[in-house]
Amino acid sequence: MTNLTPSKIRTATLAQFKQEGKKFSCLTSYDFLTAGIFDEAGIEVILVGDSAADNALGYETTLPITVDEMIPFGRAVANAVARALVVVDMPFGSYEAGPDAALENAIKIMKQTGASSVKIEGGVRSQDQIAALTRAGIPVMAHIGFTPQSIHNLGGAKVQGRGAAAQQLLEDAQAVQDAGAYAVVLELVPKLLAEEITRMLTIPTIGIGAGNGTDGQILVWTDFAGLYPGKPRKFVKQYLSMRSELLEAARRYRSDVADGSFPADEHSHD
């Protein structure tokens, strides 16, 4: 295994990581500042997720966000990043109508954000769209298992691929690889099944709620940093308690303004 650290992460870099058995990390970001921090930290992949819908825009699910809303988020992240691979989610409604619609929207996203790749949810059902994009020279990250854009059809955020349903997930994984995807996200998939898919595929797998046997891992940054309210989901490890820290800081600021201690002399101009 090589110890060389590439100066720029590309789709081929992830393939090399898989061949070498080197695991890699991914986080979401929707803005210039956090993307720059994650890039500086060495995070290999930064996903401009359609999770911006609920994390940045206040929608209840990811379904309402549009291509035009995704583009400023993607541009901000791409402008911040020097090394990481930047991937932009294709939102609900931007590819389901077929390969032509998918290609048109993917071209728009790539041209207007400066990202290096797009991500499409769905296995067998999305293979024609993935193939059309890859033929046009657009790298595609696939996403199977629990696909948030299908939350109503799936009956909520549930583990996918248990029991007899495992066969469909295996077929989905093979379909996206055959269509030309360079990597695939496995979300809410049983650990042993995720390991089987990882062994089966030649492209890297990226887990979220899929155990530690995948080639990479991804978390939504607001989950990882403890910014989102409420109890974290089972697969989330919180590396910060940012929400409680920001809340306390805001309370201290309000108190300082109210009692006149801010701004003090050192914060004032003569």
Side-chain angles (χ1 to χ4, degrees), residues 14 23 26 33 41 46 57 90 120 123 193 198 225 234 264-265:
L14 302 186
K23 292 183 180 288
C26 319
L33 291 177
I46 299 180
L57 297 179
M90 294 194 68
I120 291 181
L193 179 58
T198 300
K234 178 181 175 62
D265 288 344

Short mmCIF file of all heavy atoms in Angstrom, two decimals, residues 14 23 26 33 41 46 57 90 120 123 193 198 225 234 264-265:
data_model
loop_
_atom_site.label_atom_id
_atom_site.label_comp_id
_atom_site.label_asym_id
_atom_site.label_seq_id
_atom_site.Cartn_x
_atom_site.Cartn_y
_atom_site.Cartn_z
N LEU A 14 -10.21 7.32 -6.03
CA LEU A 14 -11.04 6.46 -5.19
C LEU A 14 -10.92 5.00 -5.62
O LEU A 14 -10.90 4.09 -4.78
CB LEU A 14 -12.50 6.90 -5.24
CG LEU A 14 -12.80 8.34 -4.82
CD1 LEU A 14 -14.30 8.59 -4.78
CD2 LEU A 14 -12.16 8.69 -3.48
N LYS A 23 -9.19 3.09 3.17
CA LYS A 23 -10.51 3.65 3.38
C LYS A 23 -10.46 5.18 3.29
O LYS A 23 -9.44 5.79 3.60
CB LYS A 23 -11.07 3.22 4.74
CG LYS A 23 -11.39 1.73 4.82
CD LYS A 23 -12.02 1.36 6.14
CE LYS A 23 -12.35 -0.12 6.21
NZ LYS A 23 -13.50 -0.48 5.36
N CYS A 26 -15.96 10.91 3.66
CA CYS A 26 -16.80 11.86 2.93
C CYS A 26 -17.70 12.60 3.93
O CYS A 26 -18.16 12.00 4.91
CB CYS A 26 -17.70 11.17 1.92
SG CYS A 26 -16.93 9.83 0.98
N LEU A 33 -17.43 28.11 3.87
CA LEU A 33 -16.59 28.01 5.06
C LEU A 33 -16.40 26.57 5.54
O LEU A 33 -15.28 26.14 5.80
CB LEU A 33 -17.16 28.88 6.18
CG LEU A 33 -17.08 30.39 5.95
CD1 LEU A 33 -17.75 31.14 7.09
CD2 LEU A 33 -15.64 30.85 5.77
N ALA A 41 -8.90 19.61 6.31
CA ALA A 41 -8.76 18.45 7.19
C ALA A 41 -8.39 17.18 6.45
O ALA A 41 -8.03 16.18 7.07
CB ALA A 41 -10.06 18.23 7.97
N ILE A 46 -16.39 15.61 -0.75
CA ILE A 46 -17.38 16.51 -0.17
C ILE A 46 -18.62 16.47 -1.05
O ILE A 46 -18.56 16.80 -2.24
CB ILE A 46 -16.85 17.94 -0.03
CG1 ILE A 46 -15.63 17.93 0.91
CG2 ILE A 46 -17.93 18.87 0.51
CD1 ILE A 46 -15.00 19.29 1.12
N LEU A 57 -32.44 24.82 4.13
CA LEU A 57 -33.60 25.56 3.65
C LEU A 57 -34.85 25.32 4.49
O LEU A 57 -35.86 25.99 4.29
CB LEU A 57 -33.89 25.19 2.19
CG LEU A 57 -32.78 25.56 1.20
CD1 LEU A 57 -33.17 25.13 -0.21
CD2 LEU A 57 -32.48 27.05 1.23
N MET A 90 -28.12 15.21 -7.61
CA MET A 90 -29.19 15.57 -8.54
C MET A 90 -30.50 15.41 -7.77
O MET A 90 -30.84 14.31 -7.33
CB MET A 90 -29.15 14.69 -9.78
CG MET A 90 -27.91 14.93 -10.62
SD MET A 90 -28.01 14.22 -12.27
CE MET A 90 -29.31 15.24 -13.02
N ILE A 120 -26.70 10.27 -8.28
CA ILE A 120 -28.07 9.90 -8.65
C ILE A 120 -28.53 8.75 -7.77
O ILE A 120 -27.81 7.76 -7.60
CB ILE A 120 -28.15 9.49 -10.13
CG1 ILE A 120 -27.92 10.70 -11.05
CG2 ILE A 120 -29.50 8.85 -10.44
CD1 ILE A 120 -28.00 10.37 -12.52
N GLY A 123 -31.04 2.19 -8.26
CA GLY A 123 -30.21 1.17 -8.86
C GLY A 123 -30.65 0.85 -10.28
O GLY A 123 -30.41 1.61 -11.21
N LEU A 193 -24.50 -7.56 4.31
CA LEU A 193 -24.85 -7.36 2.91
C LEU A 193 -23.96 -6.29 2.29
O LEU A 193 -23.52 -6.43 1.14
CB LEU A 193 -26.33 -6.99 2.77
CG LEU A 193 -26.83 -6.74 1.35
CD1 LEU A 193 -26.60 -7.96 0.46
CD2 LEU A 193 -28.31 -6.36 1.36
N THR A 198 -19.55 -4.88 -1.33
CA THR A 198 -18.20 -4.30 -1.45
C THR A 198 -17.23 -5.29 -2.07
O THR A 198 -16.39 -4.93 -2.91
CB THR A 198 -17.71 -3.83 -0.07
OG1 THR A 198 -18.61 -2.83 0.43
CG2 THR A 198 -16.32 -3.23 -0.16
N ALA A 225 -21.45 17.00 13.43
CA ALA A 225 -21.03 18.09 14.31
C ALA A 225 -22.03 18.37 15.42
O ALA A 225 -21.80 19.27 16.24
CB ALA A 225 -20.82 19.36 13.48
N LYS A 234 -29.02 6.09 14.78
CA LYS A 234 -28.16 5.02 15.29
C LYS A 234 -26.77 5.03 14.68
O LYS A 234 -25.77 4.79 15.35
CB LYS A 234 -28.84 3.66 15.04
CG LYS A 234 -28.01 2.45 15.48
CD LYS A 234 -28.75 1.16 15.17
CE LYS A 234 -27.91 -0.06 15.47
NZ LYS A 234 -27.53 -0.18 16.89
N ALA A 264 -16.97 46.42 24.73
CA ALA A 264 -16.10 47.07 25.72
C ALA A 264 -15.15 48.04 25.01
O ALA A 264 -15.18 48.15 23.79
CB ALA A 264 -15.33 46.00 26.49
N ASP A 265 -14.30 48.68 25.79
CA ASP A 265 -13.37 49.65 25.18
C ASP A 265 -12.50 49.02 24.11
O ASP A 265 -12.20 49.65 23.09
CB ASP A 265 -12.48 50.28 26.27
CG ASP A 265 -13.26 51.24 27.16
OD1 ASP A 265 -14.37 51.64 26.76
OD2 ASP A 265 -12.74 51.58 28.25
#
